[in-house]
Amino acid sequence: MTTVVRIRVLSVLAVALLWELLALSGAGADDFFPHLWTLAAAFGDVLTSDFAGDVGVTLFQLFWGASIGIVVGLVLGLLLATRPLVREIVEPLLVYLSTVPKIVLYPVFLLFLSVGTESKIAMAAFGAFFPVVLHTLGAVSDVRPVWLNAARLLHTSGGQRMRHVYIPAMAPTMFAGVRLGIATSIIGTVMAESKAADEGVGYRVIFYYSQYQIPQMYVVLLLVFVFSVLVAVGLDRLGRVLRLGGGHRTDREISL
Amino acid sequence: MNAPTDGAAGTAPALVIADVSKSFGDQTRRVPALGKVSLTVARGEFVSLIGPSGCGKSTLINIVAGLIDGYEGRVTVSGAPLDGPHPSIGMVFQDDSTFPWLSTLQNVEFGMRMAGVNATERRERAMEMLDLIGLRSFADRYPAQLSGGMRQRVALARALAMRPEILLMDEPFAALDEQTRMVLGEELLRLQEELQQTVVFVTHNLGEAVQLSDRVVAMTARPASIKAILEVDLPRPRDSSIVSSDRYGELVAHLWSLLREEAITAFNQRDAAQAGAVR
Ligand SMILES: Nc1ncnc2c1ncn2[C@@H]1O[C@H](COP(=O)(O)OP(=O)(O)OP(=O)(O)O)[C@@H](O)[C@H]1O
Ligand SMILES: [Mg+2]
């Protein structure tokens, strides 16, 4: 445990050191690799600007987008899961659609929704939806027939079997889908903000870039990265608390 | 004429299987799995089904469980015709059927919880069952932390907690190693002396069948029908020392003489099927 933590700390330090070496070597043009102290100063800049407002906007879009995508994905997945005929028609469609980069849909969202919040929520929702629905469908094979027979011989109704056998049996794989879905919706939201927006963290990255404030840009990117890692770690913890560690279904293609 | 009265329901046999047969597949390729089988099981009786591999034992027991329909013939439970899983029938399966997301205690409580038994009574009955199978100290463990034999005991406790009138067991020890299965066999024998449960028990093991049963039903190769029924006249209460008695040895030998021919037939059936598959 402590060894793992030590390795992690050391690897962070190693990356920082490598970065500083690159900065000192003068690789790239002027500001490609700002010194660590320049970054630290830029960190102050970013925090004293209205960065908090951008974070709020992004979190809002992410929260609603991911929630919608996850709920729709879980419900649709469970509905299809127990209807083999419909499933056989719909599942291939979902698989093919999931491989289409979501970013090509973005202009359509802009057209039908707005340049503002709605189009970002749609991107986040689509990002979360596909991994969740596909994992949920795949999770049906986790339900061993003998569990269903045992439940029938314990005199359960169909609804009880859904709630007390199907769902708990499928939960680890569904949870893996949710984790992946949240990750892809973070990417989706930030990416959408960087394409067409006037607020949000993704917009902020592009703004600094266009102003040639490269250290500030790096700081925002770093914060996005740290946020993603924290979310992933948090979900890991949650999974362990809920005893959902078993799902390691990563055989499904995802793309943005 | 035969309107069920309390008295009549009380005296009806636990289970009547009348001319039951079953084929799988459609008109073009019908696989007869079960010939005409008729069998009556009395209350409190322990009946074993034994027969060659693939002869149709599971098919028969699953029909009684209400898990298979589309069969010919009639099955009645305490005088009432069968329609789906009967409330007074419980079952233990060959494969591990414990729910891995529930603790031992929660597994045993599962059926009662679904039936709406209140928490206090549920807990009490479940603990009683855990005492019965000797797993009280494992109440909070999850199946992944238990051995295969322990999990089968949990599955047994979970079924018994529903107080079934009839308990069906389809090779409950088949997936276990020899020593574990001997221990569990002894345990089941002890339980049976204590509970006088009506049991239909499928097994491949001649000794197990003789040791546990009041009657052993020897079945033919597929499609299974009843070849002979062996009355086990060993005195009760029995314990595991029964296996060293002369009578036990005679009964096992007699049972084998009944089954030997069927086992060979089944073996040849399988050979023929394999040859067919190769061609
Ligand atoms: N759902 C099914 N569809 C088609 N054939 C089946 C089905 N279930 C069983 N069978 C066939 O019916 C026959 C009897 O099967 P069954 O499982 O009842 O045998 P068994 O006596 O329990 O065998 P074992 O001792 O190996 O458990 C076998 O030939 C099997 O292949
Ligand atoms: Mg079988």
Side-chain angles (χ1 to χ4, degrees), chain A residues 14-33:
Chain A
V15 170
L17 186 70
L18 191 68
W19 179 277
E20 185 54 36
L21 284 175
L22 283 167
L24 290 170
S25 75
D30 286 350
D31 283 330
F32 281 18
F33 294 105

Side-chain angles (χ1 to χ4, degrees), chain A residues 144-150, chain B residues 58 62 91-99 148-149 151-156 158 169-176:
Chain A
R144 295 178 41 209
V146 71
W147 291 333
L148 296 173
N149 284 339
Chain B
S58 294
N62 284 327
M91 186 159 180
V92 180
F93 298 82
Q94 172 174 345
D95 299 323
D96 175 22
S97 66
T98 54
F99 302 127
R151 281 182 234 160
Q152 279 309 69
R153 271 144 72 184
V154 173
L156 175 62
R158 187 178 64 183
M169 303 179 88
D170 188 358
E171 302 195 50
F173 310 145
L176 308 175

Side-chain angles (χ1 to χ4, degrees), chain B residues 24 33 52-59 94 171 204 222:
Chain B
F24 288 106
S53 183
C55 76
K57 304 178 295 293
S58 294
T59 305
Q94 172 174 345
E171 302 195 50
H204 274 128
R222 186 173 61 83

Side-chain angles (χ1 to χ4, degrees), chain B:
Chain B
M1 187 179 115
N2 46 8
T5 67
D6 283 352
T11 53
L15 178 66
V16 178
I17 298 166
D19 297 326
V20 167
S21 60
K22 168 76 189 170
S23 307
F24 288 106
D26 48 28
Q27 281 94 332
T28 52
R29 246 189 87 93
R30 269 164 56 94
V31 181
L34 195 61
K36 268 198 176 164
V37 172
S38 296
L39 180 68
T40 300
V41 179
R43 243 161 253 288
E45 196 182 17
F46 195 116
V47 174
S48 288
L49 306 178
I50 193 163
S53 183
C55 76
K57 304 178 295 293
S58 294
T59 305
L60 179 58
I61 208 166
N62 284 327
I63 286 173
V64 175
L67 293 173
I68 293 182
D69 40 35
Y71 56 89
E72 276 106 65
R74 272 178 317 111
V75 178
T76 57
V77 177
S78 300
L82 192 72
D83 176 28
H86 192 280
S88 64
I89 292 184
M91 186 159 180
V92 180
F93 298 82
Q94 172 174 345
D95 299 323
D96 175 22
S97 66
T98 54
F99 302 127
W101 56 88
L102 298 180
S103 70
T104 297
L105 181 65
Q106 290 167 330
N107 262 286
V108 176
E109 285 185 327
F110 183 86
M112 294 184 278
R113 184 154 66 94
M114 296 300 108
V117 176
N118 74 60
T120 2
E121 189 189 341
R122 208 162 75 199
R123 182 61 45 101
E124 204 173 295
R125 267 164 69 179
M127 279 306 192
E128 205 177 291
M129 286 301 138
L130 289 180
D131 280 337
L132 197 66
I133 56 158
L135 284 182
R136 179 182 267 267
S137 53
F138 292 88
D140 296 324
R141 300 284 187 89
Y142 284 81
Q145 302 166 298
L146 303 178
S147 69
M150 287 167 151
R151 281 182 234 160
Q152 279 309 69
R153 271 144 72 184
V154 173
L156 175 62
R158 187 178 64 183
L160 286 176
M162 300 296 280
R163 298 182 175 153
E165 268 174 50
I166 304 171
L167 182 65
L168 308 177
M169 303 179 88
D170 188 358
E171 302 195 50
F173 310 145
L176 308 175
D177 65 89
E178 184 63 21
Q179 284 160 38
T180 309
R181 87 181 274 153
M182 303 234 315
V183 171
L184 286 194
E186 283 176 23
E187 200 149 292
L188 190 58
L189 186 62
R190 179 180 63 75
L191 275 178
Q192 185 54 19
E193 299 305 332
E194 198 173 323
L195 301 175
Q196 312 268 314
Q197 175 77 48
T198 311
V199 180
V200 180
F201 186 81
V202 173
T203 179
H204 274 128
N205 190 306
L206 305 171
E208 202 169 79
V210 170
Q211 187 186 22
L212 291 167
S213 309
D214 298 306
R215 285 189 296 158
V216 180
V217 179
M219 316 213 46
T220 65
R222 186 173 61 83
S225 58
I226 293 176
K227 170 129 184 171
I229 297 183
L230 185 76
E231 299 274 347
V232 180
D233 49 9
L234 298 169
R236 283 195 191 268
R238 301 174 192 162
D239 60 37
S240 54
S241 70
I242 202 109
V243 299
S244 50
S245 74
D246 290 345
R247 186 65 188 139
Y248 170 86
E250 282 166 28
L251 287 167
V252 171
H254 180 49
L255 190 55
W256 175 235
S257 72
L258 288 170
L259 285 169
R260 191 176 165 275
E261 194 188 327
E262 299 305 327
I264 291 168
T265 310
F267 188 75
N268 291 336
Q269 268 177 0
R270 200 165 28 185
D271 263 8
Q274 266 163 15
V278 168
R279 217 181 302 129

